[in-house]
Coordinates of all heavy atoms in Angstrom, one line a residue:
M1 N -44.6 -16.7 -7.3 CA -44.4 -16.7 -8.7 C -44.1 -18.2 -9.2 O -43.1 -18.8 -8.8 CB -43.1 -15.9 -9.1 CG -43.4 -14.4 -9.0 SD -44.5 -13.8 -10.3 CE -43.8 -12.2 -10.6
S2 N -45.0 -18.7 -10.0 CA -44.8 -20.1 -10.5 C -44.4 -20.0 -11.9 O -44.1 -21.0 -12.5 CB -46.1 -20.9 -10.3 OG -47.1 -20.3 -11.1
D3 N -44.2 -18.8 -12.5 CA -43.8 -18.7 -13.9 C -42.3 -19.0 -14.0 O -41.5 -18.4 -13.4 CB -44.0 -17.2 -14.3 CG -43.8 -17.0 -15.8 OD1 -43.3 -18.0 -16.4 OD2 -44.0 -15.9 -16.2
P4 N -42.0 -20.1 -14.8 CA -40.6 -20.5 -15.0 C -39.8 -19.4 -15.6 O -38.6 -19.4 -15.5 CB -40.7 -21.7 -15.9 CG -42.1 -21.7 -16.5 CD -43.0 -20.9 -15.6
Q5 N -40.4 -18.4 -16.3 CA -39.6 -17.3 -16.9 C -39.0 -16.5 -15.8 O -38.0 -15.7 -16.1 CB -40.6 -16.5 -17.7 CG -41.2 -17.2 -18.9 CD -40.3 -17.2 -20.1 OE1 -39.4 -16.4 -20.3 NE2 -40.5 -18.2 -21.0
A6 N -39.5 -16.5 -14.6 CA -38.9 -15.7 -13.5 C -37.6 -16.2 -13.0 O -36.8 -15.4 -12.4 CB -39.9 -15.6 -12.4
A7 N -37.3 -17.5 -13.2 CA -36.1 -18.1 -12.6 C -34.8 -17.4 -13.1 O -34.0 -17.1 -12.2 CB -36.1 -19.6 -12.9
P8 N -34.6 -17.2 -14.4 CA -33.3 -16.6 -14.8 C -33.1 -15.2 -14.2 O -32.0 -14.8 -13.8 CB -33.5 -16.5 -16.3 CG -34.5 -17.5 -16.7 CD -35.4 -17.5 -15.5
A9 N -34.2 -14.4 -14.0 CA -34.0 -13.1 -13.4 C -33.6 -13.2 -12.0 O -32.7 -12.4 -11.5 CB -35.4 -12.3 -13.5
A10 N -34.2 -14.1 -11.2 CA -33.8 -14.3 -9.8 C -32.3 -14.7 -9.7 O -31.6 -14.3 -8.9 CB -34.7 -15.3 -9.2
A11 N -31.9 -15.6 -10.6 CA -30.5 -16.1 -10.6 C -29.6 -14.9 -10.9 O -28.5 -14.8 -10.3 CB -30.3 -17.2 -11.6
H12 N -30.0 -14.0 -11.8 CA -29.1 -12.9 -12.1 C -29.0 -12.0 -10.9 O -27.9 -11.5 -10.6 CB -29.8 -12.1 -13.3 CG -29.0 -10.9 -13.7 ND1 -27.8 -11.0 -14.4 CD2 -29.2 -9.6 -13.6 CE1 -27.3 -9.8 -14.6 NE2 -28.2 -8.9 -14.1
E13 N -30.1 -11.8 -10.2 CA -30.1 -10.9 -9.1 C -29.2 -11.4 -8.0 O -28.4 -10.7 -7.4 CB -31.5 -10.7 -8.5 CG -31.6 -9.7 -7.4 CD -33.1 -9.6 -6.9 OE1 -34.0 -10.0 -7.6 OE2 -33.2 -9.1 -5.8
A14 N -29.2 -12.7 -7.8 CA -28.4 -13.4 -6.8 C -26.9 -13.2 -7.2 O -26.0 -13.0 -6.3 CB -28.7 -14.9 -6.7
K15 N -26.6 -13.2 -8.4 CA -25.2 -13.0 -8.9 C -24.7 -11.6 -8.6 O -23.6 -11.3 -8.3 CB -25.1 -13.4 -10.4 CG -23.7 -13.3 -10.9 CD -23.6 -13.5 -12.4 CE -22.2 -13.4 -12.9 NZ -22.2 -13.3 -14.4
E16 N -25.7 -10.6 -8.8 CA -25.3 -9.2 -8.6 C -25.1 -8.9 -7.2 O -24.3 -8.1 -6.9 CB -26.5 -8.4 -9.2 CG -26.6 -8.3 -10.7 CD -25.4 -7.7 -11.3 OE1 -25.0 -6.6 -10.9 OE2 -24.8 -8.3 -12.3
A17 N -25.8 -9.6 -6.3 CA -25.7 -9.3 -4.9 C -25.4 -10.5 -4.1 O -26.3 -11.2 -3.6 CB -27.0 -8.6 -4.4
P18 N -24.1 -10.9 -3.9 CA -23.8 -12.1 -3.2 C -24.2 -12.0 -1.7 O -24.0 -10.9 -1.1 CB -22.3 -12.2 -3.3 CG -21.8 -11.1 -4.2 CD -23.0 -10.2 -4.5
R19 N -24.6 -13.1 -1.2 CA -25.0 -13.1 0.2 C -24.5 -14.3 0.9 O -24.4 -15.4 0.3 CB -26.5 -13.0 0.4 CG -27.1 -11.7 0.0 CD -28.6 -11.6 0.2 NE -29.2 -10.4 -0.4 CZ -29.1 -9.2 0.1 NH1 -28.4 -9.0 1.3 NH2 -29.6 -8.2 -0.5
C20 N -24.2 -14.3 2.2 CA -23.8 -15.4 2.9 C -25.0 -16.3 3.2 O -26.1 -15.9 2.9 CB -23.0 -15.0 4.2 SG -24.1 -14.3 5.4
R21 N -24.7 -17.4 3.9 CA -25.8 -18.3 4.2 C -26.9 -17.8 5.1 O -28.0 -18.2 5.1 CB -25.2 -19.6 4.8 CG -24.7 -19.5 6.2 CD -24.0 -20.8 6.6 NE -22.7 -20.9 5.9 CZ -21.8 -21.8 6.2 NH1 -22.1 -22.7 7.2 NH2 -20.7 -21.9 5.6
C22 N -26.5 -16.8 5.9 CA -27.5 -16.2 6.8 C -28.1 -14.9 6.2 O -28.8 -14.2 6.9 CB -27.0 -16.0 8.2 SG -25.5 -15.1 8.4
G23 N -27.7 -14.5 5.0 CA -28.4 -13.5 4.3 C -27.8 -12.1 4.3 O -28.4 -11.2 3.9
H24 N -26.6 -12.0 4.8 CA -25.9 -10.7 4.9 C -25.3 -10.4 3.5 O -24.6 -11.2 3.0 CB -24.9 -10.6 6.0 CG -25.5 -10.8 7.4 ND1 -24.9 -11.5 8.4 CD2 -26.7 -10.4 7.9 CE1 -25.7 -11.5 9.4 NE2 -26.8 -10.8 9.2
G25 N -25.5 -9.1 3.1 CA -24.9 -8.7 1.8 C -23.5 -8.1 2.0 O -23.0 -8.0 3.1
L26 N -22.9 -7.6 0.9 CA -21.5 -7.1 0.9 C -21.4 -5.9 1.9 O -20.3 -5.7 2.4 CB -21.1 -6.7 -0.5 CG -21.0 -7.9 -1.5 CD1 -20.7 -7.4 -2.9 CD2 -20.0 -9.0 -1.0
D27 N -22.4 -5.1 1.9 CA -22.2 -3.8 2.7 C -22.8 -3.9 4.1 O -22.9 -3.0 4.8 CB -22.9 -2.7 2.0 CG -22.3 -2.4 0.7 OD1 -21.0 -2.5 0.6 OD2 -23.0 -2.0 -0.3
H28 N -23.2 -5.2 4.5 CA -23.8 -5.3 5.8 C -22.8 -5.1 7.0 O -21.6 -5.3 6.8 CB -24.4 -6.7 6.0 CG -25.3 -6.9 7.1 ND1 -24.8 -7.1 8.4 CD2 -26.6 -6.8 7.2 CE1 -25.9 -7.2 9.2 NE2 -27.0 -7.0 8.5
L29 N -23.3 -4.5 8.1 CA -22.5 -4.2 9.2 C -21.7 -5.4 9.7 O -20.6 -5.2 10.2 CB -23.5 -3.7 10.3 CG -22.8 -3.1 11.6 CD1 -22.1 -1.8 11.2 CD2 -23.9 -2.9 12.7
M30 N -22.3 -6.6 9.6 CA -21.6 -7.7 10.2 C -20.7 -8.4 9.2 O -20.2 -9.6 9.4 CB -22.6 -8.7 10.7 CG -23.4 -8.2 11.9 SD -22.3 -7.7 13.3 CE -21.7 -9.3 13.8
V31 N -20.4 -7.8 8.1 CA -19.6 -8.4 7.0 C -18.2 -7.6 7.0 O -18.2 -6.4 6.8 CB -20.2 -8.4 5.7 CG1 -19.3 -8.8 4.6 CG2 -21.5 -9.2 5.7
S32 N -17.2 -8.3 7.2 CA -15.8 -7.7 7.2 C -15.2 -7.9 5.9 O -15.4 -8.9 5.2 CB -14.9 -8.5 8.2 OG -15.4 -8.3 9.5
Q33 N -14.5 -6.8 5.5 CA -13.7 -6.8 4.2 C -12.3 -7.1 4.6 O -11.6 -6.3 5.2 CB -13.9 -5.5 3.5 CG -15.3 -5.3 3.1 CD -15.5 -3.9 2.3 OE1 -14.5 -3.4 1.8 NE2 -16.7 -3.4 2.3
I34 N -11.8 -8.3 4.3 CA -10.5 -8.7 4.7 C -9.5 -8.6 3.6 O -9.7 -9.4 2.6 CB -10.6 -10.2 5.2 CG1 -11.6 -10.2 6.4 CG2 -9.2 -10.6 5.7 CD1 -12.0 -11.7 6.7
P35 N -8.5 -7.8 3.7 CA -7.5 -7.7 2.6 C -6.6 -9.0 2.6 O -6.2 -9.4 3.6 CB -6.7 -6.5 2.9 CG -6.9 -6.2 4.4 CD -8.2 -6.9 4.8
A36 N -6.4 -9.5 1.4 CA -5.5 -10.7 1.2 C -4.3 -10.2 0.4 O -4.4 -9.6 -0.6 CB -6.3 -11.7 0.4
Y37 N -3.1 -10.5 1.0 CA -1.9 -10.0 0.5 C -1.1 -11.2 -0.1 O -1.2 -12.3 0.4 CB -1.0 -9.3 1.5 CG -1.6 -8.0 2.0 CD1 -2.3 -8.0 3.3 CD2 -1.5 -6.9 1.3 CE1 -2.8 -6.9 3.8 CE2 -2.0 -5.7 1.8 CZ -2.7 -5.7 3.0 OH -3.2 -4.5 3.5
T38 N -0.3 -10.9 -1.1 CA 0.7 -11.9 -1.6 C 1.8 -12.0 -0.6 O 1.9 -11.2 0.3 CB 1.2 -11.6 -3.0 OG1 1.9 -10.3 -2.9 CG2 0.1 -11.5 -4.0
G39 N 2.7 -13.0 -0.7 CA 3.8 -13.2 0.2 C 4.7 -11.9 0.3 O 5.0 -11.5 1.4
W40 N 5.1 -11.4 -0.8 CA 6.0 -10.2 -0.7 C 5.2 -9.0 -0.2 O 5.8 -8.1 0.4 CB 6.6 -10.0 -2.1 CG 5.7 -9.5 -3.2 CD1 5.1 -10.3 -4.1 CD2 5.3 -8.2 -3.5 NE1 4.3 -9.6 -4.9 CE2 4.4 -8.2 -4.6 CE3 5.6 -6.9 -2.9 CZ2 3.9 -7.1 -5.1 CZ3 5.1 -5.8 -3.5 CH2 4.2 -5.9 -4.6
Q41 N 3.9 -8.9 -0.5 CA 3.2 -7.8 0.1 C 3.1 -7.8 1.6 O 3.2 -6.8 2.3 CB 1.8 -7.7 -0.5 CG 1.7 -7.2 -2.0 CD 0.3 -7.2 -2.5 OE1 -0.5 -8.1 -2.3 NE2 0.0 -6.2 -3.3
T42 N 2.9 -9.1 2.1 CA 2.9 -9.3 3.5 C 4.2 -8.8 4.1 O 4.2 -8.1 5.2 CB 2.7 -10.7 3.9 OG1 1.5 -11.2 3.3 CG2 2.6 -11.0 5.4
F43 N 5.3 -9.1 3.5 CA 6.6 -8.6 4.0 C 6.7 -7.1 4.0 O 7.1 -6.5 5.0 CB 7.7 -9.2 3.0 CG 9.0 -8.6 3.3 CD1 9.8 -9.2 4.4 CD2 9.6 -7.6 2.6 CE1 11.1 -8.7 4.7 CE2 10.8 -7.1 3.0 CZ 11.6 -7.6 4.0
L44 N 6.2 -6.5 2.9 CA 6.3 -5.0 2.9 C 5.4 -4.4 4.0 O 5.8 -3.4 4.6 CB 5.8 -4.5 1.5 CG 6.7 -4.7 0.3 CD1 6.0 -4.3 -1.0 CD2 8.0 -4.0 0.5
V45 N 4.2 -4.9 4.1 CA 3.2 -4.3 5.0 C 3.6 -4.5 6.5 O 3.7 -3.5 7.3 CB 1.8 -4.8 4.8 CG1 0.9 -4.3 5.9 CG2 1.3 -4.4 3.4
F46 N 4.0 -5.7 6.8 CA 4.2 -6.0 8.2 C 5.6 -5.9 8.7 O 5.9 -5.7 9.9 CB 3.7 -7.5 8.5 CG 2.2 -7.6 8.4 CD1 1.7 -8.2 7.3 CD2 1.4 -7.1 9.4 CE1 0.3 -8.3 7.1 CE2 0.0 -7.2 9.3 CZ -0.5 -7.8 8.1
F47 N 6.6 -6.0 7.8 CA 8.0 -5.9 8.2 C 8.6 -4.6 7.8 O 9.5 -4.0 8.5 CB 8.8 -7.1 7.7 CG 8.3 -8.4 8.2 CD1 7.4 -9.1 7.6 CD2 8.8 -8.8 9.4 CE1 7.0 -10.4 8.1 CE2 8.4 -10.0 10.0 CZ 7.5 -10.8 9.3
A48 N 8.3 -4.0 6.7 CA 8.9 -2.8 6.2 C 8.0 -1.6 6.5 O 8.4 -0.5 6.3 CB 9.2 -2.9 4.7
G49 N 6.7 -1.9 6.8 CA 5.8 -0.8 7.2 C 5.3 0.0 6.0 O 4.8 1.1 6.1
V50 N 5.4 -0.6 4.8 CA 5.0 0.1 3.6 C 3.5 -0.2 3.4 O 3.0 -1.3 3.5 CB 5.8 -0.4 2.4 CG1 5.3 0.2 1.1 CG2 7.3 -0.1 2.6
S51 N 2.8 0.9 3.0 CA 1.4 0.7 2.7 C 1.2 0.3 1.2 O 1.7 1.0 0.3 CB 0.6 2.0 2.9 OG -0.7 1.9 2.6
T52 N 0.5 -0.8 1.0 CA 0.3 -1.3 -0.4 C -1.1 -1.8 -0.5 O -1.7 -2.3 0.4 CB 1.4 -2.4 -0.7 OG1 1.2 -2.8 -2.1 CG2 1.3 -3.6 0.2
A53 N -1.6 -1.7 -1.7 CA -2.9 -2.2 -2.0 C -2.9 -3.7 -2.0 O -2.0 -4.3 -2.5 CB -3.5 -1.7 -3.3
P54 N -3.9 -4.4 -1.3 CA -3.9 -5.8 -1.2 C -4.2 -6.4 -2.6 O -4.7 -5.8 -3.5 CB -5.0 -6.1 -0.3 CG -5.9 -4.9 -0.3 CD -5.0 -3.7 -0.6
E55 N -3.9 -7.7 -2.8 CA -4.1 -8.4 -4.0 C -5.6 -8.7 -4.2 O -6.1 -8.7 -5.3 CB -3.3 -9.7 -4.0 CG -3.5 -10.6 -5.3 CD -3.0 -12.0 -5.1 OE1 -3.3 -12.6 -4.1 OE2 -2.3 -12.4 -6.0
R56 N -6.3 -8.8 -3.1 CA -7.7 -9.3 -3.2 C -8.4 -8.8 -1.9 O -7.7 -8.7 -0.8 CB -7.7 -10.8 -3.3 CG -9.1 -11.4 -3.7 CD -9.0 -12.9 -3.8 NE -9.0 -13.5 -2.5 CZ -8.0 -14.2 -2.0 NH1 -7.0 -14.6 -2.7 NH2 -8.1 -14.7 -0.8
I57 N -9.7 -8.6 -2.0 CA -10.5 -8.4 -0.8 C -11.5 -9.5 -0.6 O -12.2 -9.8 -1.6 CB -11.3 -7.0 -0.9 CG1 -10.4 -5.8 -1.1 CG2 -12.2 -6.9 0.3 CD1 -9.6 -5.5 0.2
D58 N -11.5 -10.1 0.5 CA -12.4 -11.2 0.9 C -13.5 -10.6 1.7 O -13.2 -9.8 2.6 CB -11.7 -12.4 1.6 CG -10.8 -13.1 0.7 OD1 -11.0 -13.2 -0.5 OD2 -9.8 -13.7 1.2
Y59 N -14.8 -11.0 1.5 CA -15.9 -10.6 2.3 C -16.3 -11.7 3.2 O -16.7 -12.8 2.7 CB -17.1 -10.2 1.4 CG -16.8 -8.9 0.6 CD1 -16.1 -9.0 -0.6 CD2 -17.2 -7.7 1.0 CE1 -15.8 -7.8 -1.4 CE2 -16.9 -6.5 0.3 CZ -16.2 -6.6 -0.9 OH -16.0 -5.5 -1.6
Q60 N -16.1 -11.6 4.5 CA -16.5 -12.6 5.4 C -17.5 -12.2 6.4 O -17.4 -11.1 7.0 CB -15.2 -13.1 6.2 CG -15.6 -14.3 7.1 CD -14.3 -14.7 7.9 OE1 -13.5 -13.9 8.4 NE2 -14.2 -16.0 8.2
C61 N -18.6 -13.0 6.5 CA -19.6 -12.7 7.5 C -19.1 -13.0 8.9 O -18.5 -14.1 9.1 CB -20.9 -13.6 7.2 SG -22.2 -13.4 8.4
R62 N -19.3 -12.1 9.8 CA -18.8 -12.3 11.2 C -19.8 -13.2 12.0 O -19.5 -13.5 13.1 CB -18.6 -10.9 11.9 CG -17.6 -10.1 11.1 CD -16.8 -9.2 12.1 NE -17.7 -8.2 12.8 CZ -17.9 -7.0 12.3 NH1 -17.5 -6.6 11.2 NH2 -18.7 -6.2 13.1
V63 N -20.9 -13.5 11.5 CA -21.9 -14.3 12.2 C -21.7 -15.8 11.8 O -21.5 -16.6 12.7 CB -23.3 -13.9 11.8 CG1 -24.3 -14.8 12.5 CG2 -23.6 -12.4 12.2
C64 N -21.7 -16.1 10.5 CA -21.5 -17.5 10.1 C -20.1 -17.8 9.7 O -19.8 -19.0 9.4 CB -22.5 -17.9 9.0 SG -22.3 -17.0 7.5
R65 N -19.2 -16.9 9.6 CA -17.8 -17.0 9.3 C -17.6 -17.4 7.8 O -16.5 -17.9 7.5 CB -17.1 -18.0 10.2 CG -17.4 -17.9 11.7 CD -17.0 -16.5 12.2 NE -15.5 -16.3 12.2 CZ -14.9 -15.1 12.5 NH1 -15.6 -14.1 12.9 NH2 -13.6 -15.0 12.4
E66 N -18.6 -17.3 7.0 CA -18.5 -17.7 5.6 C -17.9 -16.6 4.8 O -18.3 -15.4 4.9 CB -19.9 -18.1 5.1 CG -19.8 -18.5 3.6 CD -21.2 -18.9 3.0 OE1 -22.2 -18.9 3.8 OE2 -21.2 -19.1 1.8
V67 N -16.8 -16.9 4.0 CA -16.3 -16.0 3.0 C -17.1 -16.3 1.8 O -16.9 -17.3 1.1 CB -14.8 -16.3 2.8 CG1 -14.3 -15.3 1.7 CG2 -14.0 -16.0 4.1
F68 N -18.0 -15.3 1.5 CA -19.0 -15.6 0.4 C -18.7 -14.8 -0.8 O -19.4 -15.0 -1.8 CB -20.4 -15.4 0.9 CG -20.7 -13.9 1.4 CD1 -21.2 -13.0 0.5 CD2 -20.4 -13.6 2.7 CE1 -21.4 -11.7 0.9 CE2 -20.6 -12.2 3.1 CZ -21.1 -11.3 2.2
H69 N -17.7 -14.0 -0.8 CA -17.4 -13.2 -2.0 C -15.9 -12.7 -1.9 O -15.4 -12.5 -0.8 CB -18.4 -12.0 -2.2 CG -18.2 -11.2 -3.4 ND1 -18.4 -11.8 -4.7 CD2 -17.7 -10.0 -3.6 CE1 -18.1 -10.9 -5.6 NE2 -17.7 -9.8 -5.0
S70 N -15.3 -12.5 -3.0 CA -14.0 -11.8 -3.0 C -13.9 -11.0 -4.3 O -14.6 -11.3 -5.3 CB -12.9 -12.8 -2.9 OG -12.8 -13.7 -4.0
T71 N -13.1 -10.0 -4.3 CA -12.9 -9.1 -5.5 C -11.5 -8.8 -5.7 O -10.7 -8.6 -4.7 CB -13.8 -7.9 -5.3 OG1 -13.7 -7.1 -6.5 CG2 -13.4 -7.0 -4.2
T72 N -11.1 -8.6 -6.9 CA -9.8 -8.1 -7.3 C -10.0 -6.7 -8.0 O -9.1 -6.3 -8.7 CB -9.0 -9.1 -8.1 OG1 -9.8 -9.4 -9.3 CG2 -8.7 -10.3 -7.4
D73 N -11.2 -6.1 -7.9 CA -11.5 -4.9 -8.6 C -10.5 -3.8 -8.1 O -10.4 -3.5 -6.9 CB -12.9 -4.5 -8.3 CG -13.3 -3.3 -9.1 OD1 -12.7 -2.2 -8.9 OD2 -14.3 -3.4 -9.9
A74 N -9.8 -3.1 -9.0 CA -8.8 -2.2 -8.7 C -9.3 -1.0 -7.9 O -8.7 -0.5 -7.0 CB -8.1 -1.6 -10.0
D75 N -10.5 -0.6 -8.2 CA -11.1 0.6 -7.4 C -11.4 0.2 -6.0 O -11.2 1.0 -5.1 CB -12.4 1.0 -8.1 CG -12.2 1.7 -9.4 OD1 -11.1 2.2 -9.6 OD2 -13.1 1.7 -10.2
V76 N -11.8 -1.0 -5.7 CA -12.1 -1.5 -4.4 C -10.7 -1.6 -3.6 O -10.6 -1.2 -2.5 CB -12.8 -2.8 -4.4 CG1 -13.0 -3.3 -2.9 CG2 -14.2 -2.7 -5.1
L77 N -9.8 -2.2 -4.3 CA -8.5 -2.4 -3.6 C -7.8 -1.1 -3.3 O -7.2 -1.0 -2.2 CB -7.5 -3.2 -4.6 CG -8.0 -4.6 -5.0 CD1 -6.9 -5.2 -5.9 CD2 -8.3 -5.4 -3.8
R78 N -8.0 -0.1 -4.1 CA -7.4 1.2 -3.8 C -8.0 1.8 -2.5 O -7.3 2.5 -1.8 CB -7.7 2.2 -5.0 CG -6.6 3.3 -5.1 CD -6.7 4.0 -6.4 NE -6.5 3.2 -7.6 CZ -7.4 3.0 -8.6 NH1 -8.6 3.6 -8.5 NH2 -7.1 2.2 -9.6
D79 N -9.2 1.5 -2.2 CA -9.9 2.0 -1.0 C -9.2 1.4 0.2 O -9.3 2.0 1.3 CB -11.4 1.6 -1.0 CG -12.2 2.5 -2.0 OD1 -11.6 3.5 -2.4 OD2 -13.3 2.1 -2.3
H80 N -8.5 0.3 0.1 CA -7.9 -0.4 1.2 C -6.4 -0.1 1.2 O -5.7 -0.7 2.0 CB -8.2 -1.9 1.1 CG -9.6 -2.2 1.4 ND1 -10.1 -2.5 2.6 CD2 -10.7 -2.1 0.6 CE1 -11.4 -2.7 2.5 NE2 -11.8 -2.5 1.3
H81 N -6.0 0.7 0.4 CA -4.6 1.0 0.3 C -4.1 1.6 1.7 O -4.7 2.6 2.1 CB -4.3 2.0 -0.8 CG -2.8 2.2 -1.2 ND1 -2.4 2.5 -2.4 CD2 -1.7 1.9 -0.4 CE1 -1.1 2.6 -2.4 NE2 -0.6 2.2 -1.2
Ligands
ZN1 ZN1 -23.6 -15.0 7.6

């Protein structure tokens, strides 16, 4: 495709589906979803044994180690509760 009109569509698609440098998407087998906790949440989870939803989920590729996406979407966080 040499049509310059195609460029914005491609950019939009890339934004919809983030990928790491080696091309793995969010749901790929080699991509870990790593919960990120705030300081007091870390205390609750690891010292008090309380289950709490993380502040953020980071998506890290286990091949290239790149954290290529993160989300604070409440629905996603609830899955990691
Ligand atoms: Zn990768």
Side-chain angles (χ1 to χ4, degrees):
M1 286 292 215
S2 58
D3 186 353
Q5 296 280 334
H12 180 71
E13 186 179 343
K15 185 186 175 192
E16 288 295 312
R19 291 182 189 283
C20 70
R21 71 188 71 173
C22 55
H24 296 142
L26 296 177
D27 295 327
H28 194 277
L29 188 67
M30 293 307 289
V31 174
S32 297
Q33 298 179 20
I34 303 167
Y37 296 99
T38 60
W40 67 267
Q41 283 179 324
T42 303
F43 174 81
L44 287 176
V45 171
F46 293 103
F47 295 94
V50 175
S51 178
T52 181
E55 179 190 47
R56 196 182 72 239
I57 299 289
D58 290 332
Y59 293 83
Q60 183 182 37
C61 176
R62 301 211 297 270
V63 178
C64 66
R65 313 301 294 175
E66 181 180 354
V67 177
F68 61 94
H69 185 67
S70 64
T71 182
T72 55
D73 189 298
D75 289 337
V76 178
L77 298 183
R78 206 170 297 122
D79 286 343
H80 292 263
H81 192 157

